Amino acid sequence: MITAIAPCTRPMTASLAIANRLAEIQPSPTLAIASLAATLKQAGRPILNLSIGEPDFDTPTFIREAAREAMERGLTRYTPAAGTPSLREAIQAKFRKDNQLDYPVTSILVTPGAKYALYALTQCLLNPGDRVVIIAPYWVSYPDIIRLSGAECHILQTDATDRYAIDIDALDASLKPPTRLLILNSPGNPTGVHYPRSQLDAIGSVVRRHPQIVIVTDDLYEKILWQGLPFLNLAMVCPDLVDRCVVINGVSKSHAMTGWRIGYAAAPPALIQAMADFQSHTVSNANSIAQAAAEAALSGDSSSIDQMVAAYHARHDYLVPRLNELNGIRVQPADGTFYAFADCRPHLGLNPAISDDQALACDLLERTGIAVVPGSAFGAPGHLRLSYATDDQTLEIAVSRLQEYFS
Ligand code: PMP
Ligand code: GLU
């Protein structure tokens, strides 16, 4: 019987007492559920894993070849903490070409995954007592990464009925001191919604009134947008705010490279230098072979991205209408990513054992073998996140089991 998805107890003895700042930190729920699903599968259970947001495609061949070549060329040593000069130049060129953003190389930092870019940024920018505004539903790691810096989260709720648009007056009120940072994520995990130009313009006019605010734009799903939608972020729409933006991106999702751990950040050189110094004392540098592979990914042919995005789009168009046909379930169609975020509130409390999304996700896993992430992990209780970064057959079987479960 599965009763809890994310383990949350840490046995302690006096000698092994864990530091206070870890007190509220939970394991990443997405990684914890994926690991539970893998364990159950290994034990012979017929598990359909719709939990983790991780491309099901292999890293394209030309990128793997670049890594092989890098090893042969002996690129097996430490690199500069901020990343190899040639990868930083490739990222600079990517920003010019895709985003019309013209950064000097000293504005670019290569990190071990986009997650570490966020961690390094919050460690370098925030003091205990500072506040960070995040928009719910949010990616699961934001609150814990923020808490690790001693800062506090202020959460702004948004709603599916207006496509998760930010209430601009509420945003204005939330940006007063001690707020230092606002995190934006578009296309967003878990909603899949991409902010239109009008929304970014409105956010821009509010942050102009609060000069102490730095804005993170987490662009990890930039490439996973359905055809016809041009990608935009705050720095692109409001060029006067570029020096107050930290753009975070990476190759994990765009190039199916989650395990290679390469992300990057662009920001004013003084902040990037602080983050590079922080990185030099914590992880030294991102993996040298993976940096060579990421350089090939960013400089190479983008047709493999187009093929993967076409597959995610087709799966979205298959899955979302079928979820909306399920009794009492509501899902907003997405603009991109590979997530469907399902409002399941009508199903809670019907059975006293299933009073919240965590219990619903456990019951679903127990009775159907489908692993999903409870919405409360994203600040949206009563929802479930289904990742369709999985093959079509798994998705079809999952749909038929869901039809039976929710009938
Ligand atoms: N931002 C968002 C919105 C994400 O979903 C993720 C998860 N992959 C990350 C950042 C971190 O990505 P990475 O694998 O590059 O650390
Ligand atoms: N970002 C992915 C997800 O939301 C990967 C797991 C993680 O880093 O949290 O599932």
Side-chain angles (χ1 to χ4, degrees):
M1 166 85 169
I2 300 157
T3 52
I5 290 185
C8 58
T9 47
R10 291 192 191 96
M12 283 185 212
T13 60
S15 59
L16 292 181
I18 302 298
N20 294 345
R21 69 181 168 284
L22 266 289
E24 285 178 47
I25 305 298
Q26 294 290 322
S28 161
T30 43
L31 300 182
I33 294 158
S35 137
L36 174 63
T39 309
L40 292 172
K41 201 167 186 167
Q42 251 177 359
R45 299 273 297 267
I47 298 297
L48 302 171
N49 190 358
L50 307 190
S51 66
I52 196 152
E54 167 158 58
D56 53 311
F57 299 99
D58 287 333
T59 303
T61 314
F62 76 96
I63 301 174
R64 286 184 275 143
E65 272 164 11
R68 230 172 267 134
E69 247 175 61
M71 277 188 275
E72 293 312 319
R73 278 192 290 142
L75 299 181
T76 53
R77 300 174 186 278
Y78 293 128
T79 76
T84 61
S86 54
L87 175 54
R88 292 171 88 196
E89 278 164 22
I91 294 167
Q92 179 188 44
K94 181 259 171 239
F95 276 123
R96 279 193 189 132
K97 177 166 160 281
D98 294 350
N99 311 108
Q100 302 76 55
L101 293 172
D102 199 4
Y103 289 108
V105 164
T106 48
S107 273
I108 291 163
L109 174 73
V110 179
T111 57
K115 195 181 269 184
Y116 198 83
L118 275 160
Y119 176 64
L121 171 72
T122 48
Q123 290 293 317
C124 292
L125 201 69
L126 299 172
N127 288 307
D130 285 347
R131 194 163 70 177
V132 180
V133 171
I134 57 178
I135 317 294
Y138 49 72
W139 176 46
V140 294
S141 286
Y142 293 150
D144 284 11
I145 289 176
I146 292 162
R147 279 186 209 114
L148 281 168
S149 72
E152 279 160 26
C153 303
H154 179 87
I155 294 165
L156 277 188
Q157 294 295 334
T158 62
D159 199 78
T161 50
D162 50 3
R163 288 193 57 72
Y164 301 102
I166 298 174
D167 176 332
I168 292 300
D169 293 332
L171 178 66
D172 194 13
S174 74
L175 293 184
K176 292 191 187 82
T179 302
R180 284 292 315 284
L181 200 62
L182 164 67
I183 302 185
L184 302 174
N185 172 219
S186 162
N189 177 2
T191 65
V193 165
H194 179 241
Y195 295 141
R197 182 180 287 276
S198 55
Q199 172 88 107
L200 293 167
D201 265 329
I203 295 170
S205 44
V206 169
V207 297
R208 281 188 195 101
R209 294 203 278 273
H210 300 274
Q212 87 288 2
I213 300 290
V214 171
I215 308 99
V216 170
T217 148
D218 177 345
D219 297 354
L220 210 69
Y221 297 89
E222 167 181 11
K223 297 291 173 190
I224 311 180
L225 256 183
W226 313 149
Q227 261 164 359
L229 277 179
F231 173 78
L232 292 171
N233 66 24
L234 190 70
M236 294 165 73
V237 170
C238 304
D240 60 307
L241 295 173
V242 170
D243 282 349
R244 293 176 49 198
C245 288
V246 181
V247 181
I248 291 183
N249 208 328
V251 291
S252 290
K253 313 288 163 160
S254 57
H255 294 81
M257 291 178 71
T258 45
W260 301 73
R261 310 307 302 130
I262 297 289
Y264 49 90
L271 178 54
I272 288 297
Q273 186 59 54
M275 291 165 70
D277 294 345
F278 177 80
Q279 182 155 282
S280 76
H281 284 298
T282 51
V283 289
S284 299
N285 55 262
N287 175 295
S288 60
I289 313 290
Q291 288 193 60
E295 188 182 325
L298 292 176
S299 324
D301 172 26
S302 62
S303 57
S304 49
I305 300 182
D306 299 339
Q307 283 164 19
M308 292 189 269
V309 174
Y312 300 138
H313 191 184
R315 293 172 195 170
H316 166 275
D317 289 356
Y318 165 75
L319 181 65
V320 171
R322 278 161 187 80
L323 291 176
N324 276 320
E325 281 162 19
L326 298 176
N327 183 20
I329 304 286
R330 276 285 148 270
V331 181
Q332 270 296 317
D335 302 317
T337 74
F338 31 64
Y339 304 116
F341 200 54
D343 183 349
C344 304
R345 282 175 287 187
H347 287 274
L348 301 180
L350 300 177
N351 165 349
I354 304 178
S355 58
D356 61 18
D357 54 285
Q358 171 92 11
L360 180 62
C362 287
D363 191 61
L364 194 64
L365 184 55
E366 179 74 32
R367 290 174 45 202
T368 69
I370 300 173
V372 297
V373 188
S376 46
F378 304 90
H383 292 66
L384 297 177
R385 190 194 76 175
L386 294 83
S387 162
Y388 46 90
T390 188
D391 63 278
D392 295 350
Q393 204 201 351
T394 301
L395 223 47
E396 280 165 26
I397 303 171
V399 163
S400 70
R401 290 190 197 171
L402 287 168
Q403 283 165 341
E404 212 176 299
Y405 181 85
F406 285 111
S407 63

